[in-house]
Amino acid sequence: MKKLVSIDERIEGKDRGAFVLRWVENTVEYSIVTNRDGTTSRIAKPAIQQSETELPFSDEHQRRTIEAELQQAHC
């Protein structure tokens, strides 16, 4: 399941920038190994994947719209 862990705002100039959303997702990585007797086994190993999403804005109206959407979705 993907989980939002943080939201940061990056300012690039007057009324320009982006909201940066950071996500983590619990996954399982599988490996196939060959045993000494020739049989194969599947080994499961938990892993955490991290990703980022950027929501850019170029004026104050866009910024407020994105901010309101994020607040509504986060509640």
Side-chain angles (χ1 to χ4, degrees):
M1 185 172 127
K2 200 172 187 180
K3 180 180 175 186
L4 182 63
V5 291
S6 71
I7 300 173
D8 295 318
E9 186 176 358
R10 186 181 72 233
I11 303 298
E12 297 173 350
K14 184 170 175 33
D15 296 332
R16 294 190 61 203
F19 287 99
V20 181
L21 287 64
R22 290 188 176 80
W23 305 86
V24 294
E25 185 174 11
N26 292 327
T27 60
V28 178
E29 295 177 352
Y30 294 98
S31 301
I32 304 292
V33 294
T34 302
N35 301 315
R36 290 182 187 197
D37 63 1
T39 60
T40 58
S41 299
R42 186 170 84 164
I43 299 172
K45 178 178 144 186
I48 296 177
Q49 293 181 338
Q50 298 178 1
S51 61
E52 286 186 1
T53 304
E54 288 195 15
L55 303 173
F57 55 87
S58 58
D59 60 36
E60 185 63 23
H61 176 71
Q62 277 185 327
R63 183 190 169 284
R64 288 185 182 164
T65 301
I66 293 170
E67 189 174 38
E69 290 173 0
L70 290 174
Q71 286 178 352
Q72 190 174 33
H74 204 288
C75 294

